[in-house]
Amino acid sequence: MKQLFRVLPIVLSVGLFGCGNSNNAPTTQEAASEGNTKVTENKEEFVSNLPDDAPVVKVASDTDFAPYDFKDEYGNVTGFDIELMQQIGEDQGFKVVNYGDRWEEVFVNLDNKERDMVVAAVPYSPERDSKYLLSEPYAPLPSTLLYLDDSKNITSLDDLKNLKIGVLDETVQYEYFSSDKVQVESVEPYITIFAAIQAMAQGEVDAVAEDAGALRYMMKDFADLSPKYFDYEDIHADSAYKVLVVDKDQPELLEKVNAGLESLKENGTYATLTTKWFGEDLTQAVSEQRKPKSTF
């Protein structure tokens, strides 16, 4: 992670969804009624069944990372993270207000107590574990390499020695391919995944590394390309151990989040949501994940 724009096929076409949120406004019906932002109604918009006086949890979401968090054609924030938190809230008795924050702002807003949580496909790290309260894992999807040239035939990390790898700047993928853990010809950082894929289509890089769920979802919109994937990590990698991040002073909220997540796994809602957004039931995979050993 981070930034990803879900877009239509490659010839610099305009994306289906907005590319950010300039005013960081909340994007729920409750917020709209307060006059903070205009939210267009559509038939799929979530409506809470909780009473009006139910407690509210303010959630920071990066709206440029489909299918986790993004804006639909109505301007509403949607995605796996959004629907998962809505269902956790319903199960545990709190309403969720989603704020479309930029990735570079989400933790600043959490630190300033302007948000209660960050829900944005955040991978585990020892530093985060020491600073915040982290949930049980919720999205067991590792990093993968996307490439287009059949002749590359990438089947191991050894095949990358002479390849240029496109990544997003300041991500776990950037850190990994810039380290001495793997040998590549060069690492090319981009502002967005769209820019990285465009560069790959134009021959500027040989492959793009990012979250497997995000890359596979995005490539559905590139009908003219024939993507190939090499999953260089598995679900036990640190980057695949994604967590919901809670303000360090709210342990009761963390308990509710974990309880709600477990409830959704047991009643089948988690299976429904992961199948909808990632094309497969991830219940078994997430149950097999174990918290990475801290080295901080």
Side-chain angles (χ1 to χ4, degrees):
M1 200 179 184
K2 266 336 252 189
Q3 292 179 324
L4 169 63
F5 301 127
R6 189 175 180 220
V7 290
L8 289 171
I10 196 90
V11 191
L12 283 177
S13 55
V14 177
L16 285 174
F17 309 114
C19 298
N21 185 8
S22 61
N23 60 7
N24 304 96
T27 53
T28 64
Q29 290 178 337
E30 293 86 354
S33 67
E34 294 170 3
N36 292 320
T37 186
K38 181 179 179 181
V39 179
T40 304
E41 297 284 345
N42 70 77
K43 64 181 180 180
E44 295 185 354
E45 186 172 3
F46 175 81
V47 178
S48 174
N49 292 316
L50 297 174
D52 291 341
D53 60 352
V56 172
V57 172
K58 295 179 288 186
V59 173
S61 300
D62 175 8
T63 55
D64 293 329
F65 202 64
Y68 295 95
D69 317 84
F70 62 97
K71 286 186 177 181
D72 66 15
E73 61 269 37
Y74 298 96
N76 297 307
V77 178
T78 188
F80 173 68
D81 286 353
I82 305 304
E83 294 190 357
L84 182 73
M85 279 305 304
Q86 288 169 341
Q87 293 300 325
I88 288 175
E90 288 295 292
D91 186 84
Q92 294 295 305
F94 61 83
K95 292 185 179 182
V96 175
V97 175
N98 290 293
Y99 288 79
D101 296 333
R102 296 182 178 88
W103 173 243
E104 60 268 22
E105 299 173 340
V106 293
F107 288 102
V108 173
N109 290 336
L110 183 63
D111 293 342
N112 292 339
K113 307 295 184 180
E114 296 177 11
R115 309 287 184 263
D116 301 304
M117 295 181 60
V118 171
V119 181
V122 177
Y124 171 90
S125 74
E127 293 83 1
R128 289 181 182 131
D129 196 18
S130 67
K131 188 174 182 180
Y132 306 106
L133 302 177
L134 307 182
S135 75
E136 294 298 314
Y138 81 99
L141 293 159
S143 298
T144 192
L145 274 167
L146 162 69
Y147 65 104
L148 303 175
D149 187 348
D150 285 323
S151 67
K152 303 300 182 187
N153 191 29
I154 301 173
T155 59
S156 75
L157 292 174
D158 291 336
D159 297 327
L160 307 180
K161 293 180 180 178
N162 299 314
L163 302 187
K164 298 178 180 178
I165 309 299
V167 296
L168 294 185
D169 199 5
E170 297 183 3
T171 61
V172 293
Q173 292 81 18
Y174 177 82
E175 292 175 1
Y176 179 75
F177 285 101
S178 299
S179 71
D180 57 4
K181 296 178 181 178
V182 60
Q183 183 178 351
V184 299
E185 180 176 322
S186 65
V187 179
E188 306 297 332
Y190 294 90
I191 297 176
T192 68
I193 283 294
F194 172 63
I197 293 177
Q198 181 189 17
M200 178 176 59
Q202 295 174 347
E204 296 175 14
V205 295
D206 300 296
V208 174
E210 240 303 332
D211 174 86
L215 279 179
R216 284 180 166 87
Y217 187 86
M218 185 178 186
M219 290 308 295
K220 293 178 182 179
D221 286 333
F222 290 87
D224 295 338
L225 301 181
S226 299
K228 290 86 181 170
Y229 300 95
F230 169 58
D231 294 332
Y232 62 91
E233 293 181 338
D234 61 23
I235 63 170
H236 303 294
D238 287 8
S239 68
Y241 194 94
K242 297 180 182 66
V243 292
L244 308 170
V245 183
V246 178
D247 171 49
K248 63 181 179 180
D249 295 323
Q250 300 193 53
E252 293 182 357
L253 176 57
L254 177 66
E255 291 180 7
K256 290 183 177 181
V257 168
N258 281 332
L261 185 57
E262 185 61 29
S263 179
L264 298 192
K265 294 174 188 175
E266 293 175 355
N267 66 26
T269 302
Y270 181 84
T272 298
L273 291 177
T274 54
T275 300
K276 173 183 177 178
W277 292 107
F278 302 112
E280 59 180 318
D281 178 2
L282 297 175
T283 307
Q284 181 62 34
V286 77
S287 69
E288 295 175 359
Q289 288 190 303
R290 298 294 179 267
K291 182 178 179 180
K293 295 181 179 179
S294 296
T295 57
F296 179 65

